[in-house]
Amino acid sequence: MKRFPDNFLWGGAIAANQVEGAWQEDGKGLSTSDVQPQGIFGPVIERVPGDRSLKDIAIDFYHRYPEDVALFAEMGFRCLRISIAWTRIFPQGDETQPNEAGLAYYDRLLDELARYNIQPLVTLSHYEMPMGLVKKYGGWGNRQLIDFFQRYARTVFQRYQHKVKLWLTFNEINMSLHAPFTGVGLPGDSSKGAIYQAIHHQLVASALAVKACHEIIPDAKIGNMLLGGLMYPLSCKPEDVFATLQENRSWLFFGDVQCRGAWPGYMLRFLREQQIELDITEEDRLALRETVDFISFSYYMSGCVTTDEALNQKARGNILSMVQNPHLACSEWGWQIDPIGLRTLLNMLWDRYQKPLFIVENGLGAKDKLEADGTIQDSYRIDYMNDHLVQVAEALEDGVNVMGYTSWGPIDLISASKAEISKRYGFIYVDRNDQGEGTLARYRKQSFWWYQQVIATGGANLKP
Ligand code: BG6
């Protein structure tokens, strides 16, 4: 195999609400994730004393991070994608002063990463926001959220300016269209107009965060984060091909705004036809002109589009539903496995934006078995990742600028869509089950040693 560049950022990606636990510790406020104990598609519930959610403890990364970071270092990680829980810094979201205990926690975590020369890549908002902002202000539907987010972003830029040089604004910003509560703090049955207005506010907040980052940490780079929802036409019927273009635009639109600095024409037409009139001020237009330095995205699967209603059988995904591709196999969770799609996507994004790309999520959610001798044989995960990384190498050969690859969930964590831990992504097994039982002990899986070799050899051990 051709080697990856020496400066390629190999690593893994986690999110605060899926690993930390400690949901009420050190002054942390209630987040949108805390009130969805069954995950993104579960109900929003009022938390009452004594009730339980798997996420309350998660994998207890809040307390166990030194052990976990040491394991990441043992694998040779050069980069760890983490997120900051907004509610640790501004518990209700509208305070004027940050919570020092929350800031101090991330200082400790970042210092631990620095000890091992693991570069942090920090997402400002990964599927959570303060419930205070939802209850009091109506979430991102309210323009004031832009200011609250500014305060939060500026606070963490100032605080960690010497420790963090790679940032991301909103995780999978395009998924608000499918999960509005998680994305923008709006009820699931909100009108399209309300959702797009909230999205607009979030896009402005993202652009202002990019500006603030450039001002406060001039040597940092800040990117956006898209759910790479690659779609193919199910047939070569021109109607299917055009419908696919439109479907891809429904998520690429976010990238267009964040990379090109304005709402694209096809979206303005869509809004007109839907009779949606957005409040977009002159100031907003100016703000949007500040574009990201690089593009990051998640990639798990691809899907198909058809205009034929009879064929419109939807496949399952965590957020998107898509038509089954007859040429692809599925994971245990029904996600269609398509390594070549990753090469296609990398080329497509590079052709469109000519900005460096960072794969910040990819991996296989599967059921693993902890053997009596403490081993876990997860050859299926190795196969999945091998095949995807081979396609990344191909894209590099194609001339695409790929900065790095952080696999999703290098340590088992709580899944986002259904809040289960039995869907495991890790190279490191965590002893906990969906009922919350287990010691939380960590075990190295077969894939742990394999990924360690991938990093050590710069991909030379991959099998084409
Ligand atoms: C992405 C999210 O959508 O997919 C992660 O950014 C999430 O937070 C990942 O965990 C995998 O989805 P799931 O539902 O299997 O956890």
Side-chain angles (χ1 to χ4, degrees):
M1 265 302 293
K2 202 147 173 48
R3 283 171 64 91
F4 283 65
D6 289 339
N7 62 354
F8 194 74
L9 290 169
W10 293 103
I14 56 178
N17 75 86
Q18 293 173 262
V19 295
E20 287 177 359
W23 72 297
Q24 289 180 306
E25 252 177 86
D26 294 334
K28 180 184 169 298
L30 195 71
S31 75
T32 44
S33 167
D34 294 328
V35 299
Q36 285 198 296
Q38 292 166 38
I40 292 175
F41 294 110
V44 175
I45 58 142
E46 201 67 50
R47 298 298 303 259
V48 294
D51 67 357
R52 285 173 64 223
S53 157
L54 214 55
K55 289 189 263 182
D56 296 351
I57 300 175
I59 60 160
D60 196 30
F61 183 78
Y62 192 78
H63 301 107
R64 292 170 194 245
Y65 69 87
E67 180 187 350
D68 296 340
V69 171
L71 286 165
F72 298 149
E74 194 182 325
M75 272 188 280
F77 278 23
R78 297 188 189 143
C79 179
L80 182 72
R81 175 177 175 227
I82 60 170
S83 71
I84 297 178
W86 187 350
T87 48
R88 292 202 190 280
I89 314 301
F90 290 98
Q92 297 303 316
D94 61 354
E95 295 88 345
T96 51
Q97 293 306 316
N99 170 32
E100 177 53 34
L103 287 168
Y105 164 67
Y106 292 106
D107 264 323
R108 292 196 296 277
L109 172 58
L110 293 169
D111 291 346
E112 197 66 19
L113 292 172
R115 278 183 54 194
Y116 297 100
N117 277 323
I118 298 176
Q119 171 149 22
L121 165 64
V122 178
T123 312
L124 291 169
S125 179
H126 189 130
Y127 280 2
E128 61 184 325
M129 61 184 288
M131 262 314 275
L133 295 181
V134 173
K135 284 198 167 154
K136 221 161 134 185
Y137 300 90
W140 281 96
N142 188 326
R143 189 170 269 282
Q144 278 176 275
L145 269 271
I146 299 174
D147 294 333
F148 296 131
F149 187 76
Q150 275 312 292
R151 191 176 298 155
Y152 160 59
R154 285 183 169 268
T155 301
V156 295
F157 291 152
Q158 288 286 358
R159 177 76 170 217
Y160 308 124
Q161 57 181 304
H162 302 298
K163 299 182 182 179
V164 183
K165 304 293 181 182
L166 286 173
W167 295 87
L168 299 176
T169 59
F170 294 92
N171 181 63
E172 295 188 337
I173 188 163
N174 48 312
M175 73 88 196
S176 297
L177 289 174
H178 312 279
F181 181 74
T182 303
V184 282
L186 292 189
D189 58 358
S190 302
S191 69
K192 264 194 198 151
I195 294 173
Y196 275 104
Q197 185 65 56
I199 284 171
H200 172 69
H201 292 151
Q202 203 169 67
L203 284 166
V204 172
S206 173
L208 289 172
V210 171
K211 188 159 187 276
C213 182
H214 288 158
E215 276 167 26
I216 299 169
I217 329 177
D219 60 338
K221 299 252 177 285
I222 181 160
N224 61 343
M225 200 303 198
L226 301 168
L227 186 163
L230 179 67
M231 295 290 175
Y232 304 133
L234 191 63
S235 81
C236 52
K237 203 165 105 189
E239 285 82 354
D240 282 1
V241 174
F242 194 76
T244 306
L245 174 77
Q246 295 289 62
E247 192 64 37
N248 279 318
R249 279 173 160 177
S250 73
W251 64 271
L252 283 167
F253 137 71
F254 293 82
D256 287 355
V257 177
Q258 293 179 307
C259 297
R260 294 169 169 163
W263 280 67
Y266 62 85
M267 278 308 292
L268 298 177
R269 174 180 180 165
F270 167 82
L271 295 178
R272 267 195 318 273
E273 289 180 353
Q274 297 279 321
Q275 287 164 1
I276 296 172
E277 255 186 65
L278 294 187
D279 170 30
I280 303 181
T281 67
E282 209 36 52
E283 225 184 332
D284 293 347
R285 285 199 180 87
L286 273 176
L288 288 180
R289 285 197 205 153
E290 191 85 17
T291 59
V292 291
D293 303 314
F294 66 98
I295 298 155
S296 83
F297 64 91
S298 61
Y299 177 76
Y300 295 93
M301 64 191 128
S302 62
C304 295
V305 172
T306 176
T307 49
D308 183 336
E309 268 317 306
L311 293 173
N312 225 338
Q313 296 289 339
K314 299 276 180 181
R316 278 182 296 156
N318 64 340
I319 287 158
L320 306 176
S321 294
M322 29 184 89
V323 177
Q324 294 269 5
N325 184 329
H327 305 285
L328 298 177
C330 287
S331 77
E332 286 174 88
W333 269 262
W335 295 16
Q336 298 188 108
I337 303 172
D338 178 15
I340 294 176
L342 180 53
R343 179 181 180 186
T344 304
L345 187 58
L346 284 163
N347 274 278
M348 183 171 137
L349 292 171
W350 177 246
D351 287 350
R352 194 175 181 105
Y353 300 120
Q354 298 280 299
K355 289 196 190 240
L357 303 173
F358 203 146
I359 304 152
V360 296
E361 282 189 34
N362 173 243
L364 180 71
K367 291 205 168 90
D368 292 335
K369 185 160 180 280
L370 176 63
E371 306 290 349
D373 63 357
T375 61
I376 299 99
Q377 303 304 324
D378 59 342
S379 55
Y380 36 88
R381 182 166 295 109
I382 295 174
D383 291 345
Y384 177 100
M385 295 188 68
N386 177 85
D387 295 353
H388 282 78
L389 285 169
V390 165
Q391 296 303 322
V392 178
E394 293 291 349
L396 284 162
E397 278 293 294
D398 295 334
V400 179
N401 182 346
V402 190
M403 296 164 67
Y405 175 92
T406 54
S407 75
W408 176 247
I411 182 165
D412 295 343
L413 39 69
I414 312 301
S415 87
S417 44
K418 291 218 202 117
E420 46 195 356
I421 191 169
S422 51
K423 185 181 193 184
R424 297 174 183 274
Y425 285 89
F427 306 117
I428 301 163
Y429 183 94
V430 176
D431 179 24
R432 195 164 194 228
N433 64 20
D434 289 342
Q435 287 66 51
E437 300 152 348
T439 60
L440 288 167
R442 276 60 168 154
Y443 297 85
R444 294 167 185 81
K445 301 182 194 175
Q446 187 190 351
S447 57
F448 180 100
W449 310 111
W450 171 82
Y451 197 49
Q452 186 185 55
Q453 279 309 301
V454 173
I455 299 175
T457 63
N461 68 332
L462 294 172
K463 294 199 183 75

